[in-house]
């Protein structure tokens, strides 16, 4: 959609600013990616507003919502998780949201990098201060995956699966990953950082990812509003967080198991520090561990590692 506005000599007088002031503002907006055209004898025309996850737009949508009351927005940062962990160490309040349009060193699970193309995805870290023991951290991670799944399916209409522990898949390819980091004592969580990376409006994925990853736009065949998805994500997070505090971890694990095809009877290849083996999933336990039955008869409750679906030939 194109929006046209112009500012001319009468307008300068009306709002009491000089041409020089307006020119300086225009230059600042252009640096932020706003497309503004200078029109001789007319003034300026605002051509397009970029899809920026600006705190002012988010606040307008969220009102006094606990998640997002305090939003820190960057155009370019190494990693929102690194910033959020630092802010948490400095006392940032529960619900603080760190957002970036682009990450230069986005972190993924298992020491991997997270591809963070400028203004195409949602790159965010949310600081939680749950009154829970460190053993609850895996359920907080599942909770984030569940909230992200609900937000994406409600805003796009896509059918979204969750691969344990918390990758979102659309048509078998990853659209969202979550990296949970925390600071804790033996019996108390100081802060949990939920780092969420979502591929939203990528037109294509880099060659090395194209077999395993996709974007919401590529699957929905239309541009998707990052603002809408993000607002829905924060609302769902608040909903499931309150559910966890009120009803306990089984309220989350039961809902997770109902929302994921990976919970029961899925043929998977399991990769852990001990190696790689074929197995079938047999449910989640209340701590969030994934139960598997290996083909050699052994059973295990996975607390770390990853599973990949084995497609039958
Ligand atoms: C995964 O490997 O699946 C987890 C990816 C998590 C990426 C997000 S992007 C926002 C936040 N900041 C980071 O550096 N990582 C997480």
């Amino acid at each position: 959609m194109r929006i046209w506005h112009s500012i001319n000599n009468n307008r300068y007088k009306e709002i009491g600013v000089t041409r020089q002031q307006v020119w300086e503002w225009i230059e600042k907006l252009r640096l932020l990616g706003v497309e503004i055209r200078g029109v001789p004898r007319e003034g300026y025309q605002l051509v397009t507003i970029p899809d920026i996850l600006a705190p002012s737009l988010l606040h307008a949508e969220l009102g006094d919502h606990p998640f997002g009351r305090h939003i820190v927005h960057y155009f370019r940062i190494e990693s929102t998780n690194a910033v959020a962990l630092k802010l948490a160490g400095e006392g940032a309040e529960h619900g603080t949201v760190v957002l970036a349009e682009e990450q230069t060193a986005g972190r993924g699970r298992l020491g991997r990098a997270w591809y963070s193309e400028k203004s195409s995805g949602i790159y965010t870290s949310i600081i939680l201060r749950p009154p829970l023991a460190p053993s609850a951290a895996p359920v907080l991670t599942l909770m984030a995956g569940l909230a992200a799944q609900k937000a994406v399916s409600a805003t796009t209409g896509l059918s979204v699966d969750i691969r344990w522990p918390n990758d979102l898949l659309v048509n078998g390819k990853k659209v969202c990953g979550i990296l949970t980091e925390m600071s804790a004592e033996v019996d108390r969580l100081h802060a949990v950082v939920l780092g969420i990376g979502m591929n939203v409006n990528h037109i294509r994925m880099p060659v090395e990812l194209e077999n395993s990853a996709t974007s919401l736009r590529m699957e929905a065949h239309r541009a998707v509003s990052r603002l809408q998805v993000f607002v829905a994500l924060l609302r769902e997070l608040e909903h499931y967080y309150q559910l966890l505090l009120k009803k306990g971890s089984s309220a989350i694990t039961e809902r997770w198991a109902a929302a994921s095809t990976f919970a029961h009877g899925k043929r998977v290849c399991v990769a852990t520090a001990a190696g790689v083996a074929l197995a079938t999933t047999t449910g989640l336990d209340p701590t969030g561990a994934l139960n598997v039955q290996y083909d050699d008869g052994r059973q295990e409750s996975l607390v770390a590692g990853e599973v990949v679906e084995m497609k039958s030939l």
Side-chain angles (χ1 to χ4, degrees):
M1 188 179 66
R2 300 206 144 208
I3 300 170
W4 298 86
H5 282 299
S6 65
I7 180 160
N8 54 32
N9 279 332
N10 291 337
R11 289 283 182 214
Y12 291 133
K13 282 193 204 120
E14 199 180 309
I15 56 178
V17 291
T18 65
R19 269 179 182 279
Q20 176 64 21
Q21 274 171 315
V22 171
W23 181 81
E24 281 168 14
W25 292 342
I26 298 284
E27 286 311 301
K28 280 189 187 152
L29 288 169
R30 282 181 172 148
L31 284 176
L32 299 181
V34 182
E35 200 187 331
I36 298 169
R37 188 178 297 166
V39 180
R41 291 178 300 281
E42 263 290 311
Y44 295 98
Q45 287 180 334
L46 176 59
V47 181
T48 52
I49 300 175
D51 179 26
I52 292 174
L53 292 173
S56 54
L57 300 178
L58 289 163
H59 286 311
E61 290 290 326
L62 288 165
D64 197 29
H65 200 270
F67 285 3
R69 203 171 280 152
H70 185 51
I71 300 174
V72 186
H73 176 268
Y74 293 90
F75 283 93
R76 198 162 196 248
I77 197 74
E78 286 182 8
S79 154
T80 57
N81 262 35
V83 174
L85 282 168
K86 183 166 174 291
L87 291 178
E90 292 165 0
E93 68 184 40
H94 172 82
T96 299
V97 169
V98 181
L99 264 174
E101 297 296 324
E102 182 182 6
Q103 293 185 119
T104 54
R107 314 205 280 234
R109 287 183 69 232
L110 309 168
R112 296 179 186 137
W114 184 258
Y115 174 68
S116 311
E117 184 179 303
K118 183 177 172 184
S119 297
S120 299
I122 294 173
Y123 316 115
T124 187
S125 301
I126 298 145
I127 298 172
L128 307 182
R129 294 200 180 273
L132 300 170
S135 57
V139 176
L140 287 166
T141 297
L142 296 183
M143 173 202 82
L146 190 56
Q149 186 217 34
K150 300 294 177 202
V152 171
S153 47
T155 48
T156 64
L158 290 167
S159 165
V160 188
D161 200 0
I162 322 178
R163 177 173 59 199
W164 187 89
N166 51 18
D167 290 340
L168 297 195
L169 306 180
V170 176
N171 295 322
K173 291 186 181 180
K174 183 159 165 174
V175 291
C176 174
I178 299 174
L179 174 67
T180 307
E181 299 186 89
M182 60 180 172
S183 67
E185 281 170 37
V186 178
D187 57 349
R188 195 172 66 91
L189 280 171
H190 287 300
V192 171
V193 168
L194 296 177
I196 304 176
M198 198 180 286
N199 306 330
V200 181
N201 279 322
H202 302 56
I203 291 168
R204 66 183 69 85
M205 299 307 291
V207 189
E208 65 278 16
L209 294 178
E210 65 186 13
N211 287 330
S212 58
T214 186
S215 73
L216 301 182
R217 179 180 187 147
M218 288 161 70
E219 298 306 312
H221 308 291
R222 62 174 173 88
V224 172
S225 160
R226 290 186 308 152
L227 188 81
Q228 239 183 34
V229 176
F230 191 62
V231 166
L233 173 64
L234 292 181
R235 290 197 175 126
E236 294 289 353
L237 270 175
E238 174 64 12
H239 167 75
Y240 287 109
Y241 182 71
Q242 291 305 332
L243 188 74
L244 171 64
L245 295 189
K246 284 186 192 118
K247 300 266 163 79
S249 56
S250 59
I252 300 298
T253 53
E254 281 161 15
R255 282 166 181 76
W256 191 98
S260 167
T261 67
F262 280 77
H264 292 277
K266 181 77 107 189
R267 290 286 296 151
V268 288
C269 177
V270 179
T272 62
V276 175
L278 294 180
T280 303
T281 62
T282 57
L284 270 191
D285 79 15
T287 66
L290 179 67
N291 299 324
V292 294
Q293 163 100 48
Y294 288 107
D295 288 5
D296 64 10
R298 285 177 302 127
Q299 295 189 347
E300 189 176 6
S301 286
L302 298 173
V303 290
E306 64 179 343
V307 297
V308 177
E309 179 173 12
M310 295 300 298
K311 295 250 164 56
S312 48
L313 295 173

